[in-house]
Amino acid sequence: MNRRTFLGGLSAAALTAQFGRAANGKPWNILMMFSDDHAWQAVSAYGGKLNKTPHIDRIAHEGMRFDQCLVTNSICAPSRAVVLTGKHSHLNGVIDNAVTFDGNQQTFPKLVQKAGYQTAMIGKWHLKSDPTGFDHWEVLPGQGSYYNPDFLFKGGRHRREGYVTDIIGDLTLDWLKNGRDPNKPFLLFSQQKAPHRNWMPAPEKMWMYEGEDLPEPETLFDNYEGRATPARLQEMEIDRHMRWNHDMKVPEWSDRSFGGNDGNAEWARMTPEQKRQWDAAYGPRNAELFKKNPQGRDLVRWKYQRYIKDYLRCISSVDDNVGKVLSYLDAAGLAENTLVVYSSDQGFYLGEHGWFDKRWIYEESLRTPLVMRMPGVIERGSVNRNLVSNLDLAQTFLDVAGQPQPSDMQGASMLPLLRGEQPADWRKSFYFQYFEKGVHNVAPHDGVRTDRYTLAHFHETEEWELYDLTRDPQQMRSVYGDDAYQNVVKELKAELTRLRKHYKVDA
Ligand code: SGN
Ligand code: CA
């Protein structure tokens, strides 16, 4: 007798007993708040000095902060496919942003849905095919828009007026209040578009950081010496590759942009009132830029300030909306039996090495923020330093829901870590791969990351890099060729071979 037929013969009450349960005896709900390109350097719970994220920090303070949550493939659509399937990109099919997700395959939302959870997906989706495994969904088409965004839902598309981050927060609350069946546990994804490029802040955030200079990263003027050629050949520099209209919001200089004249499609979507607020904030700042007309490094510094302020303004809205949802959980008595998660699809460069964007196995893009709150299970204010991953979320959520973990999923349940245990067999090395050849010209690579080292392999040019994170946390110089590291190189190459085989890369 298989499990399904077995469950089919049980009463509703006995079925409920199949769920994982919280201290109040109720099944666990799962709420995943997920944003796009939110760097851990811009979460104050991670000790970043740039900004304050009080509501995300609250999840960390009442729960657990993961300091080494690594993504298997540092880019948007692939990361989301990994979360849903618990499988590496080469097996779930979404190796880059161009691929359409095959929604017929096994996903953990389908599994919990079958077990009796109600499931919902709200906000950024980015997987091209319609969501499957969700009772309710309302998602942005593609990357979506910041202003007056369109949304897709089963059988239709409509435009909602307002700012995307607030709208997604409101849709999340609306489903919690009015959309769900209060007698069933839920799995809810609330996925923000922000703070993805082109970093368009909400009207009420446009004046944040006005008159302030935010700290610059030490490596803003990196010259990419001491590394293999890909670090030099990328196209993700604040200096050379940011576009004057789209990114910098200086339309007057659009003819100076990398790749030629550019537009700002977001500005074009705004209502006259939104445009008026925008122009009131950015017009005088741009006028000052034209007057000062900075050159060389001063111009890069100006661009960094414009970039980081807009990026952090977007995050402030994300954090407000996390707060809105947390308050509702308290008020509705849902906090006690809801696992609350905040994470991002990958990390991001905030000017380190002169860069924006992500994609690399290097720390800023490899590591992503992950905080979880699970009352009665996670000790408040705990910090975990195990190598965990977006690959582990599917199995973790299945485990929390009291469901079995399919043997073809490739991560591990983090539930023991949430309980404060230290499983002896937890991974000591992590496998990463990046495939996309396109925007930003980052060379495809794979590699292995341990507590101390990162070994990267760029197969097109047959180049290798090794970083010793204890001696060189900023990853400024590869020690791949150093005599002193030849044993490490040998060991890590063997480990990379083992991992490729283990994850069926070299099938
Ligand atoms: C767009 C962005 C890139 C970004 C990719 C992938 N350009 O192409 O900067 O790296 O998305 O982002 S933009 O001009 O359209 O903003 S991802 O988060 O979807 O992976
Ligand atoms: Ca992303």
Side-chain angles (χ1 to χ4, degrees):
M1 185 165 55
N2 71 30
R3 196 181 151 80
R4 291 277 305 287
T5 25
F6 173 71
L7 288 180
L10 292 176
S11 69
L15 238 180
T16 308
Q18 302 298 318
F19 298 134
R21 282 162 174 281
N24 62 7
K26 294 186 180 161
W28 285 109
N29 301 308
I30 300 165
L31 168 60
M32 169 89 168
M33 292 186 275
F34 203 52
S35 57
D36 196 331
D37 294 357
H38 189 172
W40 44 268
Q41 309 92 297
V43 177
S44 39
Y46 280 92
K49 297 277 176 282
L50 283 168
N51 63 336
K52 290 270 176 283
T53 49
H55 302 294
I56 297 169
D57 293 8
R58 180 181 165 198
I59 303 174
H61 295 147
E62 296 176 359
M64 187 175 269
R65 186 187 83 205
F66 289 88
D67 280 1
Q68 300 207 78
C69 180
L70 313 181
V71 294
T72 61
N73 182 354
S74 180
I75 180 168
C76 186
S79 170
R80 287 150 205 269
V82 168
V83 170
L84 293 174
T85 61
K87 292 179 186 170
H88 273 275
S89 306
H90 62 283
L91 295 185
N92 70 46
V94 184
I95 57 167
D96 58 29
N97 275 346
V99 177
T100 299
F101 181 67
D102 171 10
N104 292 320
Q105 67 186 296
Q106 167 183 281
T107 64
F108 91 86
K110 287 184 188 175
L111 297 174
V112 297
Q113 187 186 40
K114 270 193 203 126
Y117 271 67
Q118 52 194 322
T119 54
M121 168 61 71
I122 291 166
K124 174 125 182 220
W125 166 250
H126 204 201
L127 290 171
K128 292 190 165 75
S129 51
D130 280 356
T132 54
F134 296 99
D135 300 314
H136 169 80
W137 52 271
E138 180 162 353
V139 298
L140 298 169
Q143 296 280 11
S145 305
Y146 274 105
Y147 273 87
N148 313 316
D150 285 4
F151 282 87
L152 305 173
F153 52 90
K154 205 172 170 74
R157 175 176 179 136
H158 57 193
R159 176 180 289 223
R160 291 182 178 269
E161 191 161 311
Y163 185 67
V164 70
T165 309
D166 298 327
I167 295 172
I168 290 170
D170 290 343
L171 291 174
T172 303
L173 286 188
D174 187 52
W175 187 80
L176 283 170
K177 287 180 188 164
N178 310 313
R180 70 192 176 93
D181 172 353
N183 298 313
K184 286 180 170 182
F186 65 79
L187 163 70
L188 169 59
F189 283 89
S190 175
Q191 310 208 135
Q192 292 292 0
K193 167 190 173 59
H196 191 272
R197 192 182 185 190
N198 65 338
W199 320 296
M200 295 285 287
E204 75 277 12
K205 303 288 183 187
M206 288 174 191
W207 296 90
M208 270 181 100
Y209 308 110
E210 179 70 359
E212 280 177 54
D213 271 341
L214 295 178
E216 286 170 10
E218 282 170 39
T219 58
L220 182 60
F221 297 103
D222 194 347
N223 61 10
Y224 315 115
E225 273 169 19
R227 275 146 283 177
T229 54
R232 273 197 294 286
L233 299 176
Q234 45 61 40
E235 295 174 353
M236 50 188 274
E237 290 168 30
I238 293 174
D239 180 4
R240 293 189 299 150
H241 307 115
M242 270 194 173
R243 313 194 80 203
W244 273 106
N245 191 0
H246 182 64
D247 297 318
M248 293 286 95
K249 291 96 180 188
V250 182
E252 291 84 347
W253 284 359
S254 106
D255 59 339
R256 304 183 184 189
S257 289
F258 174 71
N261 267 321
D262 69 318
N264 182 352
E266 290 291 344
W267 195 85
R269 294 183 70 88
M270 287 179 167
T271 63
E273 174 56 15
Q274 290 163 345
K275 283 184 176 161
R276 191 194 61 71
Q277 290 172 299
W278 183 272
D279 292 345
Y282 289 79
R285 297 172 192 159
N286 290 355
E288 204 185 320
L289 168 72
F290 304 143
K291 208 170 98 202
K292 282 197 180 142
N293 200 16
Q295 304 291 319
R297 287 193 169 194
D298 287 340
L299 184 59
V300 177
R301 294 199 158 100
W302 187 94
K303 291 168 89 171
Y304 167 74
Q305 294 295 332
R306 168 69 45 107
Y307 163 48
I308 197 69
K309 288 179 185 181
D310 280 346
Y311 180 87
L312 297 175
R313 290 166 180 147
C314 290
I315 286 174
S316 181
S317 292
V318 171
D319 190 63
D320 287 353
N321 281 278
V322 168
K324 217 157 79 176
V325 175
L326 292 179
S327 298
Y328 178 73
L329 295 181
D330 290 338
L334 288 166
E336 280 313 295
N337 61 309
T338 301
L339 165 64
V340 176
V341 181
Y342 181 84
S343 190
S344 166
D345 58 349
Q346 12 58 214
F348 210 69
Y349 284 93
L350 304 183
E352 299 89 351
H353 308 284
W355 291 342
F356 62 101
D357 215 70
K358 58 264 178 176
R359 297 160 188 272
W360 303 94
I361 193 176
Y362 311 145
E363 293 301 286
E364 291 81 356
S365 56
L366 174 71
R367 275 179 58 194
T368 200
L370 175 67
V371 292
M372 293 195 187
R373 184 181 77 180
M374 194 177 184
V377 173
I378 300 179
E379 193 184 329
R380 291 169 66 96
S382 41
V383 174
N384 182 287
R385 287 199 44 83
N386 287 87
L387 301 178
V388 302
S389 172
N390 58 346
L391 186 66
D392 300 326
L393 293 173
Q395 280 158 269
T396 304
F397 295 153
L398 283 165
D399 205 6
V400 166
Q403 303 308 311
Q405 301 163 43
S407 59
D408 60 348
M409 287 189 174
Q410 298 183 306
S413 168
M414 296 160 62
L415 190 51
L417 305 180
L418 299 180
R419 292 198 190 102
E421 295 161 15
Q422 270 301 332
D425 59 353
W426 195 264
R427 71 170 73 81
K428 305 279 186 295
S429 65
F430 180 78
Y431 180 66
F432 173 90
Q433 49 185 352
Y434 173 74
F435 298 83
E436 187 166 298
K437 261 194 87 75
V439 59
H440 301 303
N441 200 35
V442 170
H445 58 290
D446 73 348
V448 53
R449 158 77 150 69
T450 65
D451 252 339
R452 177 161 179 187
Y453 296 107
T454 299
L455 178 77
H457 180 234
F458 299 92
H459 52 84
E460 287 182 340
T461 50
E462 214 19 82
E463 287 176 283
W464 294 84
E465 288 177 340
L466 176 71
Y467 295 97
D468 182 343
L469 298 170
T470 53
R471 296 211 170 129
D472 180 21
Q474 315 241 45
Q475 298 177 293
M476 296 295 283
R477 185 174 162 270
S478 165
V479 292
Y480 180 76
D482 288 20
D483 286 348
Y485 286 93
Q486 290 319 298
N487 281 340
V488 178
V489 166
K490 214 170 129 204
E491 274 166 33
L492 287 180
K493 279 191 174 176
E495 183 60 8
L496 183 57
T497 304
R498 188 190 71 80
L499 289 170
R500 284 174 181 159
K501 212 164 151 193
H502 175 75
Y503 290 117
K504 302 188 166 59
V505 179
D506 293 338

